[in-house]
Amino acid sequence: MTKHLKYFSPVLLFAGLCLFFTGCGKNVITTTENTENAAVLSETESLPEEPVVSLTKPQLSTFGTVHSCTINEDKEYVEMSLSLPQIPASDDDLIYLYAFEIYESEHDFHKVPIMRTEKATDCTITWPYADGHLYQEFVPAVLLHGEYVPIATGSYITNPEMLAENQLPFPEKESKKGLLLDPAMLTSEKLTDLDVKYALYNIPLSMLMGETTDPTFPTVEYGFRGRTYYFNGATVSFYDTLFNYLTSMDMTTTAIILNDWDEDYTEMIHPLAREQKKGAYYYALNTAEEEGCRRVEAAASFLASRYASGEHGTVSGWVIANEINQHRIWNYMDTDDVSYYGAEFEKSMRIFYNAIKSRSANARIYFSVDHAWNTNDGSESDYFNAKDVVKAINDAACAKGNYDWGLALHPYPDPLTRVNYWTGEYDKTMDSPLLTVMNLNVVTDFLCQEEYLDREGNVRNMTITELGFSSATGEKLQAAAFAYCYYIVDANPYINAFMMNRQTDAWEELRQGLAFGIYDTDQDPKYIYDVFKYIDTDQASEYTDFMLKILGAESLEEALSWAQ
């Protein structure tokens, strides 16, 4: 038996009922205002005889299946498809739908449901879309022995792109050449001459949050879910200028969201990370508490709206946090439980995903991992395997509504100072300890598995957002390493782009023997300059043929075969 219920305003409903009663007089429909966002409809006709099964509360919690939870094409309603193997026995003939905030890990069914409908083995439950629904989980329940009990795992809305005004396709480029930019070189020939196709830039949240006193850069106010949030006018102005410029230069821009320590906004940091830890650069976002989670949602919504339309520049790619498998350094959380860690991170990923996609339908949203794919045999507590983190996040995402997250890779050689990476031996199975540019098939094969495909059954978007080679052992060797890496990535159909680390040497990396830049600290170009500039042009061989002698290969085809 299938039921399909939909919300109408009381006025329209009354008019419809008059016509309805005139037509047949069989059903009686009642309407009750039950929440501030929606009215509740219940159909009171008698249920036909169907098999009824008596189940315990634990059995009920996974008895049903939510097949979808999506926004309709009219953008006004949300529709959930729910099926039950049989009609479960309960105190009445109704299924109740509850909405829970993302931080409500313990579901309290004492609140008022947003919708109710008669029990059926196949239900389509429809209710009006309201502000905040992008950040809520919807759980169906029945009333059993005086208590509301879930009858299926809940689901979040999984097609936020339906709301987006910006429906333009993702701006793919004719090459995969990208770069982590040096802000000191913006608008200069030192950047424009490189003909960068994909630009990468960081957004530390500590710089974004809070009011400003400088009248030149007034505080930016942003209304979100009934509250006003304040963002730093000087920081917003800088990013407006930056992203406008990059957009005008026809670069596809990716921004990295970093939750650094901020004494004024510690509520944005997860409660298991809320101590300033020596050696920790960034901290897990708070998805466990109301105030912090609301601020995270507001920041995500603000950035998504600001850089979707092109008015302030367009950001088409977003990376949420940095190398999250390194959870003691780059996304600090004090836990040894990779499943819990992955599930908590997935909530923050979903917040940014839904915020961004609701503004820009074809933007790409990633999380990043480093090269420690499977090196931790359980003896290390300082980091998780990237493979285990990807699995934990995918499990959490699929459990409550699959969506099209992407993966940003940092497949450095080991150690990072190694430049002639092609001379090593690499495990090319999915259980390889290390993920490098020489065995990218490790991650692409992994994500080709059915359980890791996106909503359309496609392999997820992957991009390299950080990878560089040091010139400390020779500029020509660095240039050869970059060129070979670029050709490997260019030949890989699953990797969207290669964003090199970095435009200019960084002092903090030089102290570790890592001179990754195209320019040195005096802004003088290295040998790699022309290689980077021309590698995606018809003049490429003129600047890259030297590479073959360094690699010890007769041809580029032979060299590429080593990485397959």
Side-chain angles (χ1 to χ4, degrees):
M1 183 176 80
T2 301
K3 299 290 180 188
H4 187 109
L5 298 182
K6 191 169 186 176
Y7 166 84
F8 295 88
S9 72
V11 173
L12 292 176
L13 180 62
F14 177 77
L17 287 176
C18 293
L19 293 173
F20 181 77
F21 287 139
T22 302
C24 60
K26 177 183 177 183
N27 298 335
V28 178
I29 301 178
T30 60
T31 180
T32 306
E33 289 296 333
N34 216 359
T35 70
E36 61 184 52
N37 291 328
V40 175
L41 300 183
S42 64
E43 193 170 301
T44 60
E45 65 173 313
S46 299
L47 287 169
E49 292 297 325
E50 289 196 28
V52 176
V53 60
S54 295
L55 301 170
T56 64
K57 292 179 183 178
Q59 290 171 328
L60 276 169
S61 64
T62 57
F63 185 61
T65 301
V66 174
H67 298 284
S68 63
C69 185
T70 55
I71 298 168
N72 285 357
E73 290 187 6
D74 58 17
K75 304 181 183 181
E76 295 181 2
Y77 299 96
V78 184
E79 184 176 281
M80 173 181 283
S81 173
L82 168 70
S83 67
L84 302 167
Q86 292 176 273
I87 300 296
S90 63
D91 297 358
D92 57 26
D93 292 333
L94 299 176
I95 293 173
Y96 300 85
L97 187 68
Y98 284 83
F100 294 101
E101 299 296 332
I102 212 163
Y103 54 82
E104 293 182 288
S105 57
E106 297 295 328
H107 293 162
D108 181 1
F109 288 91
H110 290 95
K111 64 168 65 177
V112 177
I114 65 168
M115 179 63 70
R116 65 190 181 199
T117 184
E118 289 182 350
K119 285 187 292 189
T121 51
D122 292 287
C123 301
T124 300
I125 308 171
T126 305
W127 66 98
Y129 175 77
D131 185 34
H133 278 352
L134 287 177
Y135 312 100
Q136 292 176 326
E137 177 188 357
F138 300 97
V139 182
V142 294
L143 184 63
L144 184 67
H145 307 315
E147 295 183 40
Y148 292 99
V149 180
I151 56 171
T153 301
S155 179
Y156 293 90
I157 289 171
T158 59
N159 67 335
E161 66 275 6
M162 186 63 70
L163 298 171
E165 290 188 12
N166 180 357
Q167 293 285 332
L168 294 173
F170 182 85
E172 298 273 12
K173 299 303 181 186
E174 62 272 21
S175 85
K176 298 182 180 183
K177 185 172 73 176
L179 187 63
L180 177 64
L181 302 184
D182 180 348
M185 294 186 178
L186 294 176
T187 74
S188 75
E189 291 181 356
K190 292 180 182 293
L191 172 59
T192 55
D193 283 355
L194 291 171
D195 194 23
V196 175
K197 304 299 193 300
Y198 292 91
L200 189 68
Y201 212 85
N202 295 332
I203 300 181
L205 291 179
S206 68
M207 295 178 60
L208 183 69
M209 306 302 296
E211 301 180 54
T212 48
T213 56
D214 185 349
T216 307
F217 302 104
T219 299
V220 178
E221 297 184 0
Y222 184 70
F224 177 77
R225 300 190 70 178
R227 289 180 54 182
T228 300
Y229 292 86
Y230 303 98
F231 296 96
N232 187 295
T235 299
V236 172
S237 177
F238 168 77
Y239 283 116
D240 287 354
T241 301
L242 169 67
F243 295 142
N244 257 320
Y245 172 72
L246 297 178
T247 302
S248 72
M249 297 302 295
D250 196 31
M251 296 185 201
T252 297
T253 302
T254 295
I256 304 176
I257 304 298
L258 300 169
N259 192 33
D260 50 337
W261 187 269
D262 186 346
E263 287 289 349
D264 294 328
Y265 293 96
T266 56
E267 68 270 20
M268 293 182 71
I269 295 173
H270 195 280
L272 290 185
R274 205 170 293 146
E275 60 171 314
Q276 195 163 7
K277 188 77 171 178
K278 183 178 180 181
Y281 294 94
Y282 304 111
Y283 295 78
L285 289 159
N286 188 359
T287 55
E289 298 171 325
E290 180 175 3
E291 179 61 23
C293 191
R294 280 283 193 271
R295 286 196 179 275
V296 172
E297 292 171 2
S301 180
F302 172 74
L303 289 169
S305 62
R306 190 85 179 179
Y307 302 114
S309 67
E311 180 183 356
H312 305 287
T314 301
V315 177
S316 301
W318 300 82
V319 181
I320 313 307
N322 179 58
E323 295 186 354
I324 63 169
N325 59 303
Q326 296 289 343
H327 72 297
R328 302 291 183 183
I329 302 174
W330 298 113
N331 192 56
Y332 177 67
M333 184 188 288
D334 187 16
T335 180
D336 295 323
D337 186 340
V338 68
S339 295
Y340 173 80
Y341 176 77
E344 287 299 288
F345 177 81
E346 188 276 327
K347 293 178 186 177
S348 60
M349 184 72 183
R350 196 183 291 266
I351 286 171
F352 276 91
Y353 181 94
N354 280 8
I356 293 163
K357 295 287 272 189
S358 70
R359 301 288 186 162
S360 183
N362 293 298
R364 294 176 180 172
I365 301 94
Y366 311 87
F367 63 89
S368 75
V369 295
D370 75 350
H371 64 182
W373 181 250
N374 203 40
T375 57
N376 190 345
D377 60 5
S379 61
E380 293 281 352
S381 60
D382 287 343
Y383 68 95
F384 295 126
N385 287 325
K387 177 183 176 183
D388 295 337
V389 169
V390 173
K391 181 182 185 304
I393 291 171
N394 185 63
D395 287 348
C398 289
K400 296 187 177 182
N402 190 18
Y403 56 99
D404 299 342
W405 54 263
L407 190 59
L409 307 170
H410 298 176
Y412 281 101
D414 185 38
L416 300 184
T417 51
R418 182 174 187 175
V419 183
N420 62 338
Y421 53 85
W422 51 88
T423 61
E425 295 292 329
Y426 297 95
D427 183 345
K428 296 186 179 181
T429 71
M430 287 189 287
D431 291 324
S432 171
L434 283 171
L435 172 64
T436 75
V437 72
M438 294 298 290
N439 63 348
L440 286 174
N441 72 285
V442 167
V443 66
T444 57
D445 289 350
F446 188 80
L447 290 189
C448 279
Q449 297 177 100
E450 184 176 357
E451 61 266 36
Y452 290 94
L453 301 178
D454 68 15
R455 291 174 298 167
E456 299 298 323
N458 299 318
V459 179
R460 296 179 182 277
N461 287 306
M462 286 174 272
T463 187
I464 294 175
T465 52
E466 186 180 322
L467 178 58
F469 307 102
S470 178
S471 64
T473 54
E475 290 188 8
K476 205 165 186 178
L477 184 61
Q478 177 200 31
F482 162 74
Y484 183 34
C485 180
Y486 179 86
Y487 285 127
I488 290 172
V489 174
D490 192 48
N492 191 311
Y494 296 113
I495 309 297
N496 305 141
F498 167 26
M499 300 179 215
M500 178 183 162
N501 182 25
R502 61 183 56 241
Q503 189 174 358
T504 307
D505 286 344
W507 285 108
E508 63 272 18
E509 292 176 344
L510 288 174
R511 288 192 288 268
Q512 304 171 56
L514 301 173
F516 286 144
I518 293 174
Y519 297 91
D520 62 24
T521 53
D522 293 326
Q523 297 189 357
D524 292 326
K526 303 180 191 178
Y527 191 91
I528 194 177
Y529 173 88
D530 282 335
V531 177
F532 186 95
K533 178 177 180 177
Y534 292 106
I535 197 165
D536 56 348
T537 72
D538 55 9
Q539 299 172 262
S541 61
E542 180 182 343
Y543 295 94
T544 62
D545 279 353
F546 77 96
M547 168 192 75
L548 297 176
K549 183 175 181 180
I550 292 176
L551 296 179
E554 293 295 325
S555 66
L556 178 59
E557 290 72 23
E558 179 189 354
L560 290 177
S561 71
W562 302 342
Q564 295 173 352

